[in-house]
Amino acid sequence: RPENTYEVGSALLWTLIWGLILLALIWYGSRFSQSEVAQVRLGALLILIGLVGWLFLSGGLAIFAMMFFVIGSICLAYRYVKRAA
């Protein structure tokens, strides 16, 4: 039974950590969505979360983390690529 306790406890801790990260992203995004500096930082943070998640998670969660990377990359590209028109 101790193995089950460690497994459930680590899963609960992992869920709590990612839940806090999600809450921080929601709070950060809603509070500073109009600031250019905040948009750049949010894009960089999404890229970092995506890469770390892709490296350390497996299966569907790694794919989900990669979506954070893609969204962060799009945010930074939107901020830094000059418009042609």
Side-chain angles (χ1 to χ4, degrees):
R1 301 281 180 210
E3 299 161 359
N4 191 20
T5 304
Y6 289 130
E7 185 177 318
V8 170
S10 64
L12 183 63
L13 181 65
W14 194 247
T15 302
L16 180 66
I17 289 170
W18 280 102
L20 290 174
I21 290 172
L22 178 63
L23 286 175
L25 284 174
I26 291 170
W27 177 78
Y28 188 75
S30 65
R31 185 163 179 190
F32 300 109
S33 62
Q34 300 301 321
S35 170
E36 288 184 27
V37 173
Q39 289 175 359
V40 169
R41 287 183 183 165
L42 181 63
L45 182 65
L46 286 173
I47 287 173
L48 181 66
I49 288 172
L51 286 177
V52 169
W54 180 69
L55 288 172
F56 293 112
L57 297 174
S58 63
L61 290 175
I63 294 170
F64 184 70
M66 195 50 111
M67 288 184 351
F68 279 108
F69 175 78
V70 170
I71 292 169
S73 299
I74 291 170
C75 288
L76 286 181
Y78 180 76
R79 296 299 320 149
Y80 286 116
V81 174
K82 298 196 184 279
R83 296 190 175 100

mmCIF file of all heavy atoms in Angstrom, residues 24-47 71-72 75-76 78-80:
data_model
loop_
_atom_site.group_PDB
_atom_site.id
_atom_site.type_symbol
_atom_site.label_atom_id
_atom_site.label_comp_id
_atom_site.label_asym_id
_atom_site.label_seq_id
_atom_site.Cartn_x
_atom_site.Cartn_y
_atom_site.Cartn_z
ATOM 1 N N ALA A 24 -1.809 31.099 -12.472
ATOM 2 C CA ALA A 24 -0.901 32.236 -12.655
ATOM 3 C C ALA A 24 -1.001 32.773 -14.085
ATOM 4 O O ALA A 24 -0.996 33.992 -14.297
ATOM 5 C CB ALA A 24 0.529 31.818 -12.339
ATOM 6 N N LEU A 25 -1.099 31.883 -15.063
ATOM 7 C CA LEU A 25 -1.235 32.329 -16.450
ATOM 8 C C LEU A 25 -2.544 33.065 -16.673
ATOM 9 O O LEU A 25 -2.579 34.086 -17.371
ATOM 10 C CB LEU A 25 -1.137 31.142 -17.402
ATOM 11 C CG LEU A 25 0.246 30.575 -17.641
ATOM 12 C CD1 LEU A 25 0.152 29.320 -18.487
ATOM 13 C CD2 LEU A 25 1.133 31.601 -18.304
ATOM 14 N N ILE A 26 -3.611 32.566 -16.103
ATOM 15 C CA ILE A 26 -4.902 33.241 -16.249
ATOM 16 C C ILE A 26 -4.855 34.610 -15.598
ATOM 17 O O ILE A 26 -5.295 35.612 -16.174
ATOM 18 C CB ILE A 26 -6.028 32.373 -15.661
ATOM 19 C CG1 ILE A 26 -6.245 31.143 -16.522
ATOM 20 C CG2 ILE A 26 -7.326 33.167 -15.534
ATOM 21 C CD1 ILE A 26 -7.155 30.117 -15.897
ATOM 22 N N TRP A 27 -4.311 34.685 -14.388
ATOM 23 C CA TRP A 27 -4.226 35.966 -13.685
ATOM 24 C C TRP A 27 -3.319 36.936 -14.437
ATOM 25 O O TRP A 27 -3.661 38.095 -14.648
ATOM 26 C CB TRP A 27 -3.699 35.748 -12.269
ATOM 27 C CG TRP A 27 -3.522 37.022 -11.522
ATOM 28 C CD1 TRP A 27 -4.478 37.777 -10.928
ATOM 29 C CD2 TRP A 27 -2.289 37.710 -11.311
ATOM 30 N NE1 TRP A 27 -3.926 38.875 -10.354
ATOM 31 C CE2 TRP A 27 -2.582 38.875 -10.572
ATOM 32 C CE3 TRP A 27 -0.964 37.457 -11.663
ATOM 33 C CZ2 TRP A 27 -1.599 39.770 -10.188
ATOM 34 C CZ3 TRP A 27 -0.001 38.357 -11.275
ATOM 35 C CH2 TRP A 27 -0.316 39.498 -10.551
ATOM 36 N N TYR A 28 -2.171 36.454 -14.865
ATOM 37 C CA TYR A 28 -1.206 37.292 -15.559
ATOM 38 C C TYR A 28 -1.774 37.774 -16.893
ATOM 39 O O TYR A 28 -1.633 38.940 -17.254
ATOM 40 C CB TYR A 28 0.084 36.495 -15.771
ATOM 41 C CG TYR A 28 1.247 37.295 -16.310
ATOM 42 C CD1 TYR A 28 1.941 38.176 -15.502
ATOM 43 C CD2 TYR A 28 1.650 37.150 -17.630
ATOM 44 C CE1 TYR A 28 3.011 38.891 -15.995
ATOM 45 C CE2 TYR A 28 2.714 37.860 -18.125
ATOM 46 C CZ TYR A 28 3.391 38.728 -17.296
ATOM 47 O OH TYR A 28 4.453 39.435 -17.797
ATOM 48 N N GLY A 29 -2.418 36.875 -17.616
ATOM 49 C CA GLY A 29 -2.956 37.233 -18.923
ATOM 50 C C GLY A 29 -4.107 38.214 -18.848
ATOM 51 O O GLY A 29 -4.205 39.142 -19.648
ATOM 52 N N SER A 30 -4.979 38.045 -17.876
ATOM 53 C CA SER A 30 -6.128 38.949 -17.780
ATOM 54 C C SER A 30 -5.743 40.311 -17.226
ATOM 55 O O SER A 30 -6.339 41.323 -17.579
ATOM 56 C CB SER A 30 -7.213 38.320 -16.913
ATOM 57 O OG SER A 30 -6.753 38.177 -15.586
ATOM 58 N N ARG A 31 -4.742 40.357 -16.390
ATOM 59 C CA ARG A 31 -4.357 41.618 -15.757
ATOM 60 C C ARG A 31 -3.510 42.500 -16.676
ATOM 61 O O ARG A 31 -3.633 43.718 -16.670
ATOM 62 C CB ARG A 31 -3.605 41.334 -14.477
ATOM 63 C CG ARG A 31 -3.292 42.573 -13.723
ATOM 64 C CD ARG A 31 -2.936 42.300 -12.314
ATOM 65 N NE ARG A 31 -2.625 43.587 -11.695
ATOM 66 C CZ ARG A 31 -2.091 43.727 -10.533
ATOM 67 N NH1 ARG A 31 -1.824 42.668 -9.839
ATOM 68 N NH2 ARG A 31 -1.824 44.905 -10.054
ATOM 69 N N PHE A 32 -2.632 41.894 -17.436
ATOM 70 C CA PHE A 32 -1.675 42.664 -18.230
ATOM 71 C C PHE A 32 -1.825 42.441 -19.731
ATOM 72 O O PHE A 32 -0.858 42.539 -20.472
ATOM 73 C CB PHE A 32 -0.250 42.295 -17.816
ATOM 74 C CG PHE A 32 0.042 42.560 -16.377
ATOM 75 C CD1 PHE A 32 0.203 41.518 -15.489
ATOM 76 C CD2 PHE A 32 0.149 43.849 -15.911
ATOM 77 C CE1 PHE A 32 0.477 41.751 -14.169
ATOM 78 C CE2 PHE A 32 0.423 44.091 -14.584
ATOM 79 C CZ PHE A 32 0.582 43.035 -13.704
ATOM 80 N N SER A 33 -3.012 42.162 -20.193
ATOM 81 C CA SER A 33 -3.176 41.797 -21.598
ATOM 82 C C SER A 33 -2.929 42.967 -22.556
ATOM 83 O O SER A 33 -2.658 42.748 -23.724
ATOM 84 C CB SER A 33 -4.567 41.215 -21.841
ATOM 85 O OG SER A 33 -5.543 42.188 -21.547
ATOM 86 N N GLN A 34 -3.018 44.202 -22.096
ATOM 87 C CA GLN A 34 -2.830 45.353 -22.986
ATOM 88 C C GLN A 34 -1.397 45.871 -23.013
ATOM 89 O O GLN A 34 -1.047 46.663 -23.871
ATOM 90 C CB GLN A 34 -3.779 46.484 -22.572
ATOM 91 C CG GLN A 34 -5.242 46.100 -22.632
ATOM 92 C CD GLN A 34 -5.671 45.670 -24.014
ATOM 93 O OE1 GLN A 34 -5.247 46.247 -25.008
ATOM 94 N NE2 GLN A 34 -6.493 44.650 -24.088
ATOM 95 N N SER A 35 -0.563 45.447 -22.092
ATOM 96 C CA SER A 35 0.813 45.919 -22.017
ATOM 97 C C SER A 35 1.698 45.151 -22.999
ATOM 98 O O SER A 35 1.683 43.925 -23.040
ATOM 99 C CB SER A 35 1.344 45.735 -20.590
ATOM 100 O OG SER A 35 2.722 45.969 -20.539
ATOM 101 N N GLU A 36 2.510 45.883 -23.767
ATOM 102 C CA GLU A 36 3.402 45.236 -24.729
ATOM 103 C C GLU A 36 4.469 44.407 -24.026
ATOM 104 O O GLU A 36 4.805 43.310 -24.458
ATOM 105 C CB GLU A 36 4.061 46.277 -25.628
ATOM 106 C CG GLU A 36 3.114 46.897 -26.625
ATOM 107 C CD GLU A 36 3.830 47.859 -27.568
ATOM 108 O OE1 GLU A 36 5.033 47.671 -27.804
ATOM 109 O OE2 GLU A 36 3.173 48.776 -28.058
ATOM 110 N N VAL A 37 5.019 44.936 -22.941
ATOM 111 C CA VAL A 37 6.051 44.217 -22.195
ATOM 112 C C VAL A 37 5.466 42.937 -21.623
ATOM 113 O O VAL A 37 6.091 41.871 -21.667
ATOM 114 C CB VAL A 37 6.624 45.112 -21.076
ATOM 115 C CG1 VAL A 37 7.560 44.328 -20.184
ATOM 116 C CG2 VAL A 37 7.320 46.311 -21.667
ATOM 117 N N ALA A 38 4.242 43.009 -21.092
ATOM 118 C CA ALA A 38 3.600 41.831 -20.527
ATOM 119 C C ALA A 38 3.304 40.802 -21.605
ATOM 120 O O ALA A 38 3.407 39.602 -21.358
ATOM 121 C CB ALA A 38 2.324 42.224 -19.804
ATOM 122 N N GLN A 39 2.959 41.241 -22.798
ATOM 123 C CA GLN A 39 2.694 40.299 -23.879
ATOM 124 C C GLN A 39 3.962 39.563 -24.279
ATOM 125 O O GLN A 39 3.932 38.364 -24.546
ATOM 126 C CB GLN A 39 2.089 41.023 -25.073
ATOM 127 C CG GLN A 39 0.680 41.480 -24.841
ATOM 128 C CD GLN A 39 0.133 42.296 -25.994
ATOM 129 O OE1 GLN A 39 0.817 42.535 -26.973
ATOM 130 N NE2 GLN A 39 -1.116 42.724 -25.873
ATOM 131 N N VAL A 40 5.081 40.258 -24.290
ATOM 132 C CA VAL A 40 6.355 39.613 -24.609
ATOM 133 C C VAL A 40 6.727 38.627 -23.512
ATOM 134 O O VAL A 40 7.138 37.494 -23.783
ATOM 135 C CB VAL A 40 7.467 40.676 -24.811
ATOM 136 C CG1 VAL A 40 8.830 40.024 -24.885
ATOM 137 C CG2 VAL A 40 7.187 41.486 -26.052
ATOM 138 N N ARG A 41 6.566 39.042 -22.260
ATOM 139 C CA ARG A 41 6.882 38.139 -21.148
ATOM 140 C C ARG A 41 5.961 36.933 -21.132
ATOM 141 O O ARG A 41 6.394 35.818 -20.840
ATOM 142 C CB ARG A 41 6.793 38.887 -19.822
ATOM 143 C CG ARG A 41 7.926 39.841 -19.617
ATOM 144 C CD ARG A 41 7.844 40.491 -18.273
ATOM 145 N NE ARG A 41 8.911 41.472 -18.115
ATOM 146 C CZ ARG A 41 8.938 42.377 -17.183
ATOM 147 N NH1 ARG A 41 7.964 42.446 -16.296
ATOM 148 N NH2 ARG A 41 9.944 43.218 -17.106
ATOM 149 N N LEU A 42 4.693 37.140 -21.418
ATOM 150 C CA LEU A 42 3.747 36.030 -21.455
ATOM 151 C C LEU A 42 4.113 35.064 -22.581
ATOM 152 O O LEU A 42 4.077 33.844 -22.392
ATOM 153 C CB LEU A 42 2.320 36.539 -21.634
ATOM 154 C CG LEU A 42 1.232 35.475 -21.664
ATOM 155 C CD1 LEU A 42 1.175 34.740 -20.338
ATOM 156 C CD2 LEU A 42 -0.109 36.103 -21.980
ATOM 157 N N GLY A 43 4.487 35.587 -23.731
ATOM 158 C CA GLY A 43 4.918 34.721 -24.830
ATOM 159 C C GLY A 43 6.145 33.906 -24.459
ATOM 160 O O GLY A 43 6.207 32.706 -24.720
ATOM 161 N N ALA A 44 7.118 34.553 -23.826
ATOM 162 C CA ALA A 44 8.323 33.848 -23.395
ATOM 163 C C ALA A 44 7.997 32.804 -22.326
ATOM 164 O O ALA A 44 8.551 31.699 -22.334
ATOM 165 C CB ALA A 44 9.353 34.840 -22.874
ATOM 166 N N LEU A 45 7.098 33.137 -21.409
ATOM 167 C CA LEU A 45 6.697 32.200 -20.367
ATOM 168 C C LEU A 45 5.978 30.991 -20.965
ATOM 169 O O LEU A 45 6.230 29.847 -20.565
ATOM 170 C CB LEU A 45 5.795 32.898 -19.349
ATOM 171 C CG LEU A 45 5.328 32.063 -18.172
ATOM 172 C CD1 LEU A 45 6.519 31.676 -17.304
ATOM 173 C CD2 LEU A 45 4.310 32.833 -17.363
ATOM 174 N N LEU A 46 5.113 31.225 -21.946
ATOM 175 C CA LEU A 46 4.428 30.114 -22.601
ATOM 176 C C LEU A 46 5.414 29.212 -23.339
ATOM 177 O O LEU A 46 5.284 27.983 -23.309
ATOM 178 C CB LEU A 46 3.366 30.637 -23.567
ATOM 179 C CG LEU A 46 2.107 31.196 -22.939
ATOM 180 C CD1 LEU A 46 1.225 31.836 -24.016
ATOM 181 C CD2 LEU A 46 1.348 30.142 -22.188
ATOM 182 N N ILE A 47 6.404 29.809 -23.976
ATOM 183 C CA ILE A 47 7.427 29.017 -24.656
ATOM 184 C C ILE A 47 8.198 28.179 -23.649
ATOM 185 O O ILE A 47 8.430 26.984 -23.863
ATOM 186 C CB ILE A 47 8.375 29.933 -25.461
ATOM 187 C CG1 ILE A 47 7.651 30.462 -26.690
ATOM 188 C CG2 ILE A 47 9.637 29.181 -25.873
ATOM 189 C CD1 ILE A 47 8.438 31.495 -27.465
ATOM 190 N N ILE A 71 1.685 28.459 -29.085
ATOM 191 C CA ILE A 71 0.955 29.695 -28.797
ATOM 192 C C ILE A 71 1.913 30.797 -28.372
ATOM 193 O O ILE A 71 1.791 31.945 -28.807
ATOM 194 C CB ILE A 71 -0.121 29.439 -27.729
ATOM 195 C CG1 ILE A 71 -1.219 28.552 -28.295
ATOM 196 C CG2 ILE A 71 -0.712 30.751 -27.216
ATOM 197 C CD1 ILE A 71 -2.189 28.032 -27.262
ATOM 198 N N GLY A 72 2.893 30.476 -27.526
ATOM 199 C CA GLY A 72 3.893 31.464 -27.123
ATOM 200 C C GLY A 72 4.721 31.955 -28.295
ATOM 201 O O GLY A 72 5.034 33.140 -28.402
ATOM 202 N N CYS A 75 2.649 34.385 -30.247
ATOM 203 C CA CYS A 75 2.570 35.673 -29.528
ATOM 204 C C CYS A 75 3.833 36.503 -29.751
ATOM 205 O O CYS A 75 3.750 37.696 -30.040
ATOM 206 C CB CYS A 75 2.378 35.441 -28.031
ATOM 207 S SG CYS A 75 0.757 34.832 -27.575
ATOM 208 N N LEU A 76 4.995 35.866 -29.620
ATOM 209 C CA LEU A 76 6.242 36.615 -29.825
ATOM 210 C C LEU A 76 6.424 37.021 -31.280
ATOM 211 O O LEU A 76 6.908 38.119 -31.559
ATOM 212 C CB LEU A 76 7.432 35.788 -29.352
ATOM 213 C CG LEU A 76 7.595 35.688 -27.839
ATOM 214 C CD1 LEU A 76 8.830 34.873 -27.497
ATOM 215 C CD2 LEU A 76 7.665 37.047 -27.187
ATOM 216 N N TYR A 78 4.077 37.717 -33.362
ATOM 217 C CA TYR A 78 3.147 38.824 -33.594
ATOM 218 C C TYR A 78 3.720 40.138 -33.062
ATOM 219 O O TYR A 78 3.534 41.193 -33.660
ATOM 220 C CB TYR A 78 1.812 38.517 -32.911
ATOM 221 C CG TYR A 78 0.782 39.605 -33.089
ATOM 222 C CD1 TYR A 78 0.118 39.753 -34.294
ATOM 223 C CD2 TYR A 78 0.494 40.491 -32.052
ATOM 224 C CE1 TYR A 78 -0.823 40.758 -34.468
ATOM 225 C CE2 TYR A 78 -0.446 41.494 -32.218
ATOM 226 C CZ TYR A 78 -1.103 41.623 -33.421
ATOM 227 O OH TYR A 78 -2.022 42.613 -33.588
ATOM 228 N N ARG A 79 4.457 40.096 -31.966
ATOM 229 C CA ARG A 79 5.029 41.296 -31.376
ATOM 230 C C ARG A 79 6.249 41.798 -32.159
ATOM 231 O O ARG A 79 6.500 42.988 -32.236
ATOM 232 C CB ARG A 79 5.451 41.075 -29.933
ATOM 233 C CG ARG A 79 4.357 40.764 -28.986
ATOM 234 C CD ARG A 79 3.270 41.806 -28.805
ATOM 235 N NE ARG A 79 3.699 43.166 -28.773
ATOM 236 C CZ ARG A 79 2.958 44.195 -29.202
ATOM 237 N NH1 ARG A 79 1.763 43.979 -29.686
ATOM 238 N NH2 ARG A 79 3.396 45.407 -29.130
ATOM 239 N N TYR A 80 7.037 40.876 -32.723
ATOM 240 C CA TYR A 80 8.321 41.278 -33.294
ATOM 241 C C TYR A 80 8.354 41.363 -34.819
ATOM 242 O O TYR A 80 9.225 42.026 -35.370
ATOM 243 C CB TYR A 80 9.429 40.320 -32.841
ATOM 244 C CG TYR A 80 9.811 40.545 -31.398
ATOM 245 C CD1 TYR A 80 9.602 39.573 -30.444
ATOM 246 C CD2 TYR A 80 10.355 41.748 -30.998
ATOM 247 C CE1 TYR A 80 9.940 39.777 -29.132
ATOM 248 C CE2 TYR A 80 10.704 41.981 -29.694
ATOM 249 C CZ TYR A 80 10.496 40.981 -28.768
ATOM 250 O OH TYR A 80 10.822 41.182 -27.455
#
